[in-house]
Amino acid sequence: MKLLTFRGGIHPPSYKEKTKDCRIKRIPIPDFLYIYLSQHTGTPSSPIIEKGVEVKIGQKIATLGGKLSSALHSPVNGVYEGIVTHPHPLGGRKEAMKIRVLKEKDKPFEVTLREDVTSLSKEELIEIIKESGIVGMGGAAFPTYYKLQIPPGNKIKDLIINGVECEPFLTSDYRVMMEYSEEVIKGIDILRRIIEPENVWVAIEDNKLDAFRRLEDAASKFPWIKFALLKTKYPQGSEKQLISAITKREVPEGGLPFSVGAYVQNVGTVFAIYEAVYLGKPLFERVVTVTGSIRHPSNFLTPIGTPLEHLIEVAEGPIGEIAKVINGGPLMGITQATLKTCVTKGTTGILVQSERELKKMEPTPCIRCGACVLVCPMRLLPTELYKYIEKEKWDRVEDLGVLSCMECGSCSYVCPAKIPLTQEIKIAKNKLIKKESK
């Protein structure tokens, strides 16, 4: 099978061997959970329960706070202690629903098997997904019900299931594909019925051949599913790069995938859709890879709202002094200011790094080597952007397409002068966005 790929990109070490063979394990629940009202793209959720009430596992505790929002559900049996402000993974403190866990009442969620899924209409399926609080679980956390509402006049030609997981260290999607292959295929069938595409693709990189074959076997009764094997390269899992690699169509600057007849959904989200439709289970827990300088790297089934310090403790603690903890992978993840931040629906992994791994390297002047230009998947000129950012020539920075930058980190990774290009570009983007919003 021919390997597909896109222009640009980098080849960092994967470090996935630390957890790729670690089966998914349910963690012991902590004493308290903090469920953020804002853990998805859009308006924060709106609580629907009163302080002091007892909640059951899977119970809906917050509804949509606006047109683009998400419902929340309790991951445990516990007592709702009200709204608090709590350290958030994106920085600062944000409102969260604090739940005290009743460990004496700990028990698994009782599923409600739905016998005849095929009788459900497209609208009924979207409503189940909406009420189950499902968002994109690859990190973006965009509400899935909203993304499924394709604007009139836009026909989806290619539905692409993203099983790439190109960030180093992370293996949560890989384990879902290995352990729940038949469920993932059923989830894909639900999406196909809603979207009605011409083609359905499952996209996986060639460093996950066992997952590729596992899903191929599970799809033997679904001949309409096509498989695309991709060259292992970062950021292959980004929507635009994935669409380009498979369909050879380019999403225009500022455009969305449906504008070129494509729709991409992460494999973890597809599994959550299966659970919601077939089992009546809302999204209140997810698989999180805990890895790096940690004594027992693992893939944990983790309740939403679990503090990171609890996850690290369950993984038997760090090796040596912790220098840095990242929510997500090392290239697109977010450094955490405190271990009191909690798992959200978009948390793919927790990466612990020690002092020894963080070699401090001071930036030196640009040597005009062009390495950043060669790897940029958005075909930008990072070193030119950096030059005008330094001079605060914002009109020129915008003209050079800074807002198209997806902040994948490839330019910083290859820069021999160790210039923090991604960081500077990210700051510039925020300045321009604030300027335009005034």
Side-chain angles (χ1 to χ4, degrees):
M1 182 179 285
K2 182 183 177 183
L3 292 181
L4 305 176
T5 192
F6 63 99
R7 178 193 174 278
I10 56 176
H11 301 274
S14 81
Y15 300 108
K16 292 180 186 287
E17 64 279 3
K18 283 177 174 282
T19 54
K20 70 182 290 289
D21 295 324
C22 299
R23 293 185 66 85
I24 298 167
K25 291 189 299 186
R26 187 178 294 279
I27 64 163
I29 50 178
D31 294 331
F32 294 95
L33 298 179
Y34 299 86
I35 303 169
Y36 301 110
L37 298 182
S38 182
Q39 56 177 297
H40 51 266
T41 300
T43 312
S45 308
S46 180
I48 56 172
I49 56 174
E50 297 294 329
K51 180 179 178 180
V53 302
E54 201 166 300
V55 294
K56 294 182 179 178
I57 184 170
Q59 178 183 334
K60 186 175 176 180
I61 57 175
T63 190
L64 281 69
K67 186 178 178 183
L68 177 61
S69 186
S70 178
L72 299 174
H73 302 78
S74 176
V76 293
N77 293 318
V79 175
Y80 173 49
E81 297 205 338
I83 295 287
V84 298
T85 60
H86 196 77
H88 193 276
L90 296 180
R93 301 175 72 92
K94 292 193 176 180
E95 288 187 325
M97 300 178 76
K98 182 179 180 182
I99 295 181
R100 175 166 54 86
V101 178
L102 296 176
K103 295 195 174 180
E104 68 276 14
K105 294 186 178 181
D106 179 30
K107 62 177 184 178
F109 176 75
E110 292 182 11
V111 302
T112 305
L113 288 175
R114 184 171 273 114
E115 298 288 341
D116 188 9
V117 169
T118 58
S119 66
L120 295 170
S121 68
K122 182 189 304 187
E123 292 73 23
E124 288 172 325
L125 289 169
I126 292 177
E127 187 62 22
I128 291 170
I129 290 167
K130 181 180 181 180
E131 281 298 306
S132 300
I134 296 174
V135 302
M137 295 172 70
F142 195 90
T144 304
Y145 76 91
Y146 199 89
K147 188 174 178 180
L148 284 169
Q149 297 172 35
I150 310 298
N154 289 275
K155 171 66 179 171
I156 298 300
K157 183 177 181 183
D158 296 287
L159 164 62
I160 302 171
I161 306 305
N162 186 352
V164 172
E165 200 170 47
C166 59
E167 269 268 4
F169 286 98
L170 303 182
T171 57
S172 55
D173 282 352
Y174 170 78
R175 288 312 312 177
V176 167
M177 291 189 286
M178 289 296 291
E179 297 182 42
Y180 298 101
S181 54
E182 292 186 2
E183 291 84 351
V184 168
I185 296 299
K186 288 181 178 177
I188 295 172
D189 190 33
I190 295 168
L191 277 178
R192 181 185 69 98
R193 290 180 51 208
I194 296 173
I195 298 173
E196 300 177 338
E198 291 180 27
N199 305 303
V200 179
W201 299 92
V202 175
I204 301 177
E205 286 186 333
D206 65 343
N207 64 350
K208 305 177 189 69
L209 282 175
D210 42 4
F212 185 90
R213 291 173 183 135
R214 187 70 62 95
L215 285 176
E216 262 194 330
D217 290 344
S220 60
K221 296 179 180 176
F222 300 82
W224 40 265
I225 296 182
K226 302 176 182 180
F227 283 81
L229 193 58
L230 299 146
K231 189 175 182 179
T232 299
K233 186 165 65 169
Y234 178 86
Q236 184 71 83
S238 173
E239 275 193 340
K240 292 181 178 178
Q241 281 60 48
L242 198 51
I243 292 168
S244 172
I246 294 176
T247 72
K248 307 307 177 191
R249 299 193 295 272
E250 301 287 338
V251 178
E253 184 178 341
L256 295 171
F258 64 74
S259 66
V260 294
Y263 182 99
V264 180
Q265 198 60 267
N266 165 265
V267 74
T269 313
V270 174
F271 178 57
I273 289 172
Y274 159 80
E275 290 194 310
V277 174
Y278 276 85
L279 310 181
K281 181 184 172 186
L283 179 56
F284 58 74
E285 60 186 4
R286 65 157 299 147
V287 182
V288 177
T289 302
V290 181
T291 185
S293 291
I294 200 87
R295 296 190 185 282
H296 193 181
S298 307
N299 292 295
F300 290 131
L301 185 58
T302 308
I304 304 300
T306 299
L308 302 196
E309 58 189 358
H310 180 75
L311 268 179
I312 292 172
E313 182 183 331
V314 172
E316 300 181 7
I319 298 172
E321 196 76 18
I322 293 179
K324 189 176 183 180
V325 172
I326 299 173
N327 186 323
L331 291 165
M332 291 193 83
I334 300 170
T335 300
Q336 300 298 284
T338 167
L339 296 183
K340 296 195 178 302
T341 58
C342 299
V343 168
T344 69
K345 295 177 182 179
T347 303
T348 52
I350 303 299
L351 174 61
V352 178
Q353 294 184 304
S354 66
E355 287 286 357
R356 184 172 53 84
E357 293 169 308
L358 295 179
K359 296 175 184 175
K360 183 74 175 174
M361 301 193 73
E362 294 296 330
T364 56
C366 174
I367 58 173
R368 312 289 292 173
C369 66
C372 57
V373 178
L374 291 175
V375 300
C376 179
M378 299 307 293
R379 305 181 184 183
L380 300 176
L381 305 172
T383 188
E384 283 292 289
L385 281 168
Y386 178 66
K387 182 173 76 176
Y388 289 108
I389 289 170
E390 274 198 312
K391 295 178 180 176
E392 299 189 352
K393 302 283 188 185
W394 302 117
D395 289 345
R396 185 66 181 135
V397 170
E398 192 166 9
D399 290 345
L400 286 168
V402 69
L403 295 176
S404 296
C405 174
M406 53 190 282
E407 302 167 21
C408 67
S410 296
C411 54
S412 296
Y413 180 81
V414 298
C415 178
K418 300 303 172 192
I419 298 171
L421 294 165
T422 310
Q423 180 180 315
E424 294 297 327
I425 289 172
K426 189 172 186 173
I427 292 170
K429 281 176 67 179
N430 287 334
K431 284 185 178 178
L432 283 172
I433 290 169
K434 285 181 181 176
K435 183 180 171 187
E436 290 176 0
S437 64
K438 286 181 179 176

